[in-house]
Structures are given as structure tokens and as C-alpha cells.
Amino acid sequence: QVHLSESGRGSVQAGGSLRLSCVASGDRAGRDCIGWFRQAPGKEREGVATIDHTGRALYMDSVKGRAIVSKGRAENTTNLQIDFLKPEDTAIYSCAARAQWGGGDVCFIRGRDFEFWGPGIQVTVSS
């Protein structure tokens, strides 16, 4: 079992930066892959980025070039930074975790692959 919790500023200005942290506890093997997802009002959940235990990161096109997902100083922390924020980045951001089954198992940005989810944090980008 893995428990996840997101934290960060909930209100930011357009053009600014978003910095979120995800703290995981529980089964270490169950959190080799950490993913960030978001759901905007009235829209389906979409992926943002993932990072595996080797540090390999993947990004969705919507944030590619302006987002960085990274491991924090503590081994159980994963950070997400998105720069040049737009109002359409407004959403509930959630981190998720799953085990990774060997080096050939890529942490694709697919919500259905992830087993454990944090409660999410509301981020509002104002213009």
C-alpha cells in the first residue's frame, strides 16, 4: 500500500510558475513510477508527466518545454514545476504511484496504469 499527498500553492498568476510536491509513504516498491495528472473543470483527467526510479521523465505535449518533474532531496518526494502558466492550466493536480516491473517497463503517462492516488490539490491560474 502506498499513500500519497500533494502540496503547493493553490493560486498563481498567469505567466508565473507552479511548484507542487508529492510525498509518498508505504511500500517503496509500489512507487517506482510517480505520475502527475490533472483534471480541469468539466474535462476528463489528463496526464502531465511521469518519472521513474531512475529519473527518466516523460511529459505530455501540453506542458512539454515548460515543465520539469524531478525527485526531491528526500527519496519519497517528487516535484512538479510548470512555468509560463496559462489559465487553461487551472485544474486539480494529483500525483499517482505504481510499481515498475523491470527496466523495460516504461512509466507511460496513462492514468489507468497507476494504482495509488493522492487526494489532489486545486491550482487556479488567474489572468
Side-chain angles (χ1 to χ4, degrees):
Q1 189 75 13
V2 176
H3 298 280
L4 303 165
S5 178
E6 304 90 350
S7 64
R9 286 185 63 184
S11 180
V12 289
Q13 293 285 324
S17 297
L18 163 70
R19 296 181 183 86
L20 298 176
S21 293
C22 174
V23 177
S25 62
D27 179 19
R28 184 169 181 174
R31 44 187 168 95
D32 283 340
C33 285
I34 298 292
W36 284 96
F37 298 84
R38 65 186 183 184
Q39 187 166 18
K43 294 188 176 182
E44 297 284 322
R45 183 181 65 200
E46 66 171 2
V48 177
T50 61
I51 187 167
D52 71 12
H53 71 284
T54 70
R56 179 171 52 180
L58 297 176
Y59 300 92
M60 292 298 284
D61 287 346
S62 58
V63 298
K64 194 172 291 183
R66 60 188 186 100
I68 298 174
V69 60
S70 61
K71 292 295 188 180
R73 289 187 176 182
E75 63 84 22
N76 64 337
T77 302
T78 304
N79 302 314
L80 173 69
Q81 178 172 326
I82 303 177
D83 299 323
F84 308 111
L85 288 167
K86 311 169 187 177
E88 49 264 44
D89 291 316
T90 293
I92 296 174
Y93 285 74
S94 301
C95 62
R98 70 168 180 88
Q100 189 173 17
W101 306 105
D105 179 16
V106 179
C107 293
F108 290 117
I109 313 171
R110 286 191 303 235
R112 65 177 184 270
D113 292 347
F114 286 79
E115 184 175 3
F116 306 103
W117 291 82
I121 183 170
Q122 174 70 49
V123 174
T124 302
V125 181
S126 56
S127 57

